Amino acid sequence: MSFRFLFAMAAAKLSRAVIRLFGRDGSCTPGIIAIRLCPDFLRHLKMPDKVICITGTNGKTTTSNLVAGIVRDLGYTVTNNSLGSNVQGGVATALLADSTLTGKPKKQVAVLEVDERSSLLVYKYITPDFLVCNNIMRDSLKRNAHTDFIAYILGSALSEKTHVILNADDFICSSLFPKCLSRTYFGISADRPDSDRISSRDIVYCPDCGTRLHAEYVRFDHIGRIYCPGCLKKSPEPDYCVTEIDASRDVFKIRHGGEEREYKLVNSNIVNLYNFCGAVAVLTEAGFDPDKVCAAFNAQKIVKSRYDFIEAGKLSITTQLAKGQNPVACARAFSYIASLPKKNKCVLVMTDDKHDNTNNSESVCWIYDTDFSALRDDSISEIIFAGKRCRDQRLRAVIAGVDPRKIRINDDLFEGAKMIDTDKYSDIYVLHDPYILSETGMIKNYLIERGKANED
């Protein structure tokens, strides 16, 4: 055990204690301190009995929190970076917080959300027993826009000893990690759509032979069942498959190994159904009892920073994450709201990336790369774009065919919220960026007070 590591551990733990003394989480800072003092800090940490990592473009936090919550409910102690970042410093902070001064683990299982770009810095020192990859899609134009680049990073970083759990319905994701022989796939066969058009620019031609790809069906982007008519490469069959979705009973079924189990439908968004199936797959493959996993699943909820639903008086208020600079995530949020059966909806869109606006020059290209067409739906009566880029968002919506008469804008997030007519609209949807959680919380409280006041 090197003196440098011990010194770094002591300094990091001290910094964490001081930060917590001031009522802050310090989600990343202690880990950054440790790595600066000892660059290979992660190498010296001893890992818990099981290490499960979650990665992919969208759904990392939801899946990670779901897996960690179920493992805790099954009676195990868990290290998880749910309060911290998913980059190297955040992973280091979570692990050192649950380690002794000499680097021995205090918890039985580690469930770690790991950013794709950070893979080279994390998996260089940590070999996960299991890794879930939810999907690979274009993300921020400045970081993760090129899916081939992200696939290369992931493939270069991970050890062939890791058991990978991959989305069978994502043609890019399912082809990852060819060196890993322990492979499990998950997917959805229920409610197959009619569309067979691959709308994504992330993958158009077969990566093996260059032939233009075709699809049996596509749910969105390139998610679906895809095949190459040239070399006959096709989407793999899922080992864990969602076979039925019953929104009326709030349940869905997963088939594995000839057995079918029913689970609580925590959220009906198709993106989250993939997250749920991936979570069940990794927990089962990691050796947890499938029946106990099923029972524990029914007690889980999506973390409120990702999705929340509140009723206040006559108001139904839904807050949902819609990542700024992530075209697919925003488009899926629009589509989900449009698909809900309620009528006369009011949608407040707050997807400006506050963090990006603060630290460097913002790129608005992602707004024009996002599909706004779902906002044309007749069930959506009013759309309010709030934030500094509200004019770009209004223009993009009009280009997509949204009636400009139902669009309003405001440069200020809170003033935008005040524009909602709570006498006219009872179903309100707030789409927000992950960097404005505090502002979203205040707006949510404001709408709750409005709802209660209207009732009085």
Side-chain angles (χ1 to χ4, degrees):
M1 187 75 59
S2 73
F3 172 78
R4 189 172 189 175
F5 168 74
L6 294 174
F7 178 72
M9 175 66 87
K13 281 187 171 289
L14 178 61
S15 71
R16 182 171 179 270
V18 171
I19 290 168
R20 289 170 68 86
L21 187 65
F22 284 93
R24 305 289 293 274
D25 289 327
S27 58
C28 202
T29 303
I32 292 173
I33 291 171
I35 291 167
R36 285 183 178 173
L37 294 174
C38 180
D40 62 345
F41 179 81
L42 288 173
R43 186 194 305 278
H44 296 281
L45 290 172
K46 291 181 173 59
M47 292 296 110
D49 297 335
K50 281 189 176 74
V51 178
I52 299 171
C53 288
I54 317 291
T55 195
T57 308
N58 297 312
K60 293 186 290 291
T61 300
T62 297
T63 306
S64 176
N65 289 340
L66 185 63
V67 170
I70 291 173
V71 173
R72 287 192 187 97
D73 285 356
L74 294 178
Y76 296 84
T77 54
V78 182
T79 292
N80 180 230
N81 55 338
S82 62
L83 293 177
S85 73
N86 54 21
V87 297
Q88 187 188 28
V91 171
T93 298
L95 289 168
L96 72 86
D98 289 337
S99 296
T100 65
L101 280 170
T102 58
K104 293 181 180 179
K106 297 178 182 178
K107 303 291 179 71
Q108 297 166 292
V109 180
V111 179
L112 303 171
E113 173 189 342
V114 181
D115 175 76
E116 309 92 278
R117 284 282 296 273
S118 294
S119 296
L120 289 169
L121 300 174
V122 174
Y123 303 139
K124 179 179 180 180
Y125 306 113
I126 297 173
T127 299
D129 298 299
F130 303 89
L131 178 136
V132 181
C133 186
N134 290 324
N135 46 68
I136 298 293
M137 299 174 175
R138 66 191 182 281
D139 197 346
S140 166
L141 291 165
K142 294 184 294 183
R143 294 187 67 250
N144 297 354
H146 199 299
T147 54
D148 285 350
F149 172 55
I150 297 304
Y152 169 76
I153 288 178
L154 287 168
S156 302
L158 195 67
S159 167
E160 61 186 22
K161 297 177 182 178
T162 297
H163 182 152
V164 293
I165 290 90
L166 308 172
N167 186 344
D169 295 348
D170 183 330
F171 204 70
I172 302 173
C173 179
S174 63
S175 301
L176 289 173
F177 315 116
K179 296 184 298 183
C180 297
L181 299 180
S182 297
R183 308 172 70 81
T184 298
Y185 299 101
F186 63 92
I188 300 175
S189 66
D191 297 348
R192 297 189 177 197
D194 295 330
S195 172
D196 61 357
R197 186 177 70 88
I198 303 173
S199 59
S200 168
R201 293 185 297 280
D202 294 339
I203 187 164
V204 177
Y205 300 101
C206 176
D208 291 352
C209 73
T211 303
R212 191 176 186 91
L213 294 168
H214 289 222
E216 179 186 343
Y217 62 85
V218 176
R219 295 188 185 278
F220 61 92
D221 213 56
H222 61 268
I223 302 300
R225 304 297 297 173
I226 296 175
Y227 65 93
C228 171
C231 66
L232 305 183
K233 178 183 175 74
K234 63 179 182 179
S235 301
E237 291 299 321
D239 302 292
Y240 291 80
C241 187
V242 176
T243 57
E244 183 181 334
I245 305 166
D246 188 343
S248 64
R249 295 175 50 231
D250 285 332
V251 296
F252 68 102
K253 293 181 180 179
I254 295 178
R255 184 183 63 238
H256 167 63
E259 297 184 1
E260 201 168 54
R261 290 179 174 82
E262 189 173 84
Y263 299 81
K264 176 185 175 184
L265 187 60
V266 182
N267 180 273
S268 61
N269 191 330
I270 197 72
V271 175
N272 279 325
L273 275 162
Y274 279 108
N275 297 335
F276 301 158
C277 194
V280 170
V282 71
L283 287 163
T284 306
E285 293 300 311
F288 297 101
D289 183 279
D291 292 323
K292 291 181 179 179
V293 169
C294 184
F297 190 97
N298 295 336
Q300 303 305 309
K301 294 181 179 179
I302 295 178
V303 62
K304 290 186 177 182
S305 63
R306 263 54 190 169
Y307 176 87
D308 195 16
F309 174 77
I310 313 103
E311 290 186 324
K314 295 180 180 179
L315 296 186
S316 296
I317 305 161
T318 300
T319 60
Q320 180 172 325
L321 183 73
K323 289 183 183 178
Q325 302 207 30
N326 186 315
V328 178
C330 284
R332 294 315 306 161
F334 298 154
S335 295
Y336 176 62
I337 289 173
S339 71
L340 296 173
K342 294 184 179 181
K343 303 294 182 182
N344 200 31
K345 304 165 188 168
C346 178
V347 183
L348 173 63
V349 181
M350 307 186 301
T351 51
D352 273 358
D353 191 328
K354 178 183 176 182
H355 176 78
D356 193 59
N357 289 342
T358 302
N359 291 313
N360 50 43
S361 298
E362 182 189 14
S363 169
V364 298
C365 298
W366 72 271
I367 296 174
Y368 296 92
D369 196 30
T370 304
D371 184 358
F372 277 62
S373 61
L375 296 178
R376 298 194 307 243
D377 194 84
D378 292 338
S379 69
I380 300 174
S381 301
E382 183 169 79
I383 305 155
I384 300 170
F385 293 113
K388 298 300 181 184
R389 294 298 175 185
C390 61
R391 290 164 184 80
D392 276 295
Q393 292 169 341
R394 176 177 61 182
L395 175 60
R396 178 64 187 93
V398 172
I399 291 172
V402 178
D403 186 345
R405 291 173 297 182
K406 68 178 185 181
I407 300 175
R408 302 171 74 190
I409 63 172
N410 201 295
D411 292 272
D412 184 85
L413 299 179
F414 295 101
E415 292 303 317
K418 290 178 182 178
M419 293 172 72
I420 299 172
D421 188 339
T422 53
D423 292 321
K424 185 176 181 181
Y425 302 109
S426 58
D427 294 312
I428 300 169
Y429 299 85
V430 179
L431 301 182
H432 60 89
D433 185 83
Y435 290 106
I436 58 167
L437 293 181
S438 60
E439 291 90 338
T440 302
M442 287 186 276
I443 287 171
K444 180 164 60 176
N445 290 335
Y446 163 76
L447 291 172
I448 291 171
E449 290 176 6
R450 287 280 298 271
K452 291 178 178 178
N454 288 356
E455 185 179 35
D456 294 338

